[in-house]
Amino acid sequence: MKFTIRRKRAQIFNKVTEWLKMGHSTKRVILFLSLLVGVCTGIAGLVLKTFVEEIRHLLTQGFDESEMNWLYLVYPAIGILLTSLFVYYVVRDDIGHGVTKILYAISRKKARIKPHNRWSSIVASSITIGFGGSVGAEAPIVLTGSAFGSHLGKRFHLPHNMIMLLVGCGAAGAVAGIFKAPIAGLVFVLEVLMLDLNMASLLPLLVTCITSACVSYAFYGTESMFAFSMDKAFSIDIIPGCILLGIFCGLVSLYFTRSMNWFEGVFASIKKKWMKFVLGAVVLGALIYFFPAMYGEGYDVINQLLDNASASDIMHNTLFYGNDNNLLIYLGLVLIFKVFASTATNGGGGCGGVFAPSLFLGCIAGFIFANIWDMSFSLSTGSSGFLSTKNCALYGMAGLMSGVMHAPLTGIFLIAELTGGYQLFVPLMIVSVVSYLTINIFEPHSIYAMRLARKGQLITHDKDDAIFTVLNMDSLIEKDYKVVRPDMVLAEFVVVISKAHRNI
């Protein structure tokens, strides 16, 4: 029965494919598919965000903010346990490190991504983050979008370079949809995935990004993801402070990257899955119990810092609650331990990415830097030549993303679109570029690429090597040649030539 339904579905799909291809150029087919990928990624992002928000609301509503809650010890462990069981018994495949998987698929599998990634990453990351996993939903949704592009390209029997373009469209649409940031989605693909694209490829990417963003606009409105109102405009005297903030963000990015690699190595050295789960659950539960700001993606904390919320609102359910003077100490500890919470989530069996942790830590880093700057030089935010703590938090988000992902343009445009802070473009550029240059001294690859680079599997950033990913080597190697011997007579030689496919 299932085979019959599957065969009929395949026949219908093949008829639609032939109809679309009939009388239409490849360029038109690609544009249509890029539009379809944009719709799929936009809807997938909505589903993921809705699941995460509903699960979190169901679990945490009614918590008393003035007291520590023991459920913060339990929820994350349940989340990564359920995710582990789902992956082990249902998916039966590794779905972690979404962007790294896309890079590997591009470099080694000719952009072939397994079909189950169209839905498995959504389910797994929803459970993980909804129950408190300290990771982001963006990398799983990027993998989901790329899987849609890969699947459609394969269904339409497109050449490898066109499938790669659709994979890029899926990744771009995912970023554009979940953040409502179409330009950032486009730049992310060009900067992080580093596909060998040309000007003709930009139009499909734009179509996907705009379509996905419009789907989000239709359901969530056109307002920016983070509410932000600028306290002070850019002026020339803040440039030294922006440069120092960029260096600080680069060093924090270096700490985040190397600490995550070290802790991932600890999990990799453990062979038994149940021991990985125990270690991840204990570390994650303990950190969230003492620092509830690490619960989930942390976007509520970002909104609070950008909105100048009270210290008590930020330090709810902690030992620091009610003592506003300890806010910087609390945020400093979060800045140090967040990387271990994120790594424990994925290492213990959860599913998520580093997009949200980068934004979260960047906001905190900028906030701390602004306060230390003011205290060190005894200047108030109103009379100093530097920015307000709110503006600094914004710059820190761009700086951390630029450093961790080695993507300064993505950091600049994403933060500008997330907050509507286009008037602060110049300081965003300064902090992002300086952060990138700082970490690039110590780490040549992004956190996504370094796992593949160590194994010699990352070739998408080398254009001379990357060309081999779109070539079919079997088609270039002759296997049906005819043998010619030195002692052949002319008649035998004529027979061989008549049967051979060579013309030389």
Side-chain angles (χ1 to χ4, degrees), residues 148-310:
F148 275 116
S150 176
H151 177 72
L152 288 173
K154 184 172 63 175
R155 281 287 192 175
F156 278 79
H157 309 292
L158 297 176
H160 298 311
N161 60 331
M162 293 293 101
I163 296 178
M164 282 189 181
L165 175 57
L166 289 177
V167 167
C169 287
V175 174
I178 202 164
F179 286 124
K180 295 194 287 189
I183 300 177
L186 172 65
V187 175
F188 171 80
V189 170
L190 300 178
E191 198 171 30
V192 177
L193 299 187
M194 293 288 286
L195 296 181
D196 191 14
L197 303 175
N198 50 40
M199 290 302 296
S201 306
L202 291 179
L203 185 56
L205 287 169
L206 283 171
V207 170
T208 302
C209 290
I210 291 297
T211 304
S212 183
C214 287
V215 172
S216 293
Y217 292 153
F219 287 90
Y220 288 104
T222 58
E223 298 82 8
S224 301
M225 186 170 175
F226 298 122
F228 175 78
S229 58
M230 186 173 59
D231 286 344
K232 185 177 180 181
F234 170 73
S235 58
I236 195 70
D237 56 342
I238 71 169
I239 291 179
C242 289
I243 294 174
L244 289 176
L245 176 56
I247 295 173
F248 179 63
C249 288
L251 295 176
V252 174
S253 301
L254 178 65
Y255 165 76
F256 181 86
T257 301
R258 291 193 172 177
S259 297
M260 177 167 282
N261 286 332
W262 172 79
F263 205 27
E264 283 180 349
V266 173
F267 279 96
S269 65
I270 302 174
K271 303 304 179 183
K272 297 182 179 179
K273 290 185 178 296
W274 69 268
M275 292 183 65
K276 292 183 179 181
F277 163 73
V278 171
L279 176 60
V282 170
V283 172
L284 179 61
L287 288 174
I288 292 180
Y289 176 72
F290 288 105
F291 308 100
M294 297 184 190
Y295 189 103
E297 297 169 301
Y299 289 154
D300 53 341
V301 176
I302 294 177
N303 272 317
Q304 289 169 343
L305 292 176
L306 293 179
D307 197 32
N308 289 328
S310 67

Side-chain angles (χ1 to χ4, degrees), residues 73 98 420 447 467:
L73 287 168
I447 198 169
I467 190 64

Side-chain angles (χ1 to χ4, degrees), residues 70-85:
W70 64 271
L71 289 174
Y72 280 126
L73 287 168
V74 179
Y75 285 159
I78 296 175
I80 58 177
L81 176 61
L82 293 176
T83 303
S84 300
L85 295 175

Side-chain angles (χ1 to χ4, degrees), residues 479-488 492-497 499-500 502:
K479 298 180 180 179
D480 60 344
Y481 53 84
K482 302 298 180 180
V483 178
V484 178
R485 301 189 309 275
D487 59 345
M488 269 188 173
E492 295 174 328
F493 193 72
V494 170
V495 172
V496 171
I497 292 178
K499 295 181 179 180
R502 293 185 59 112

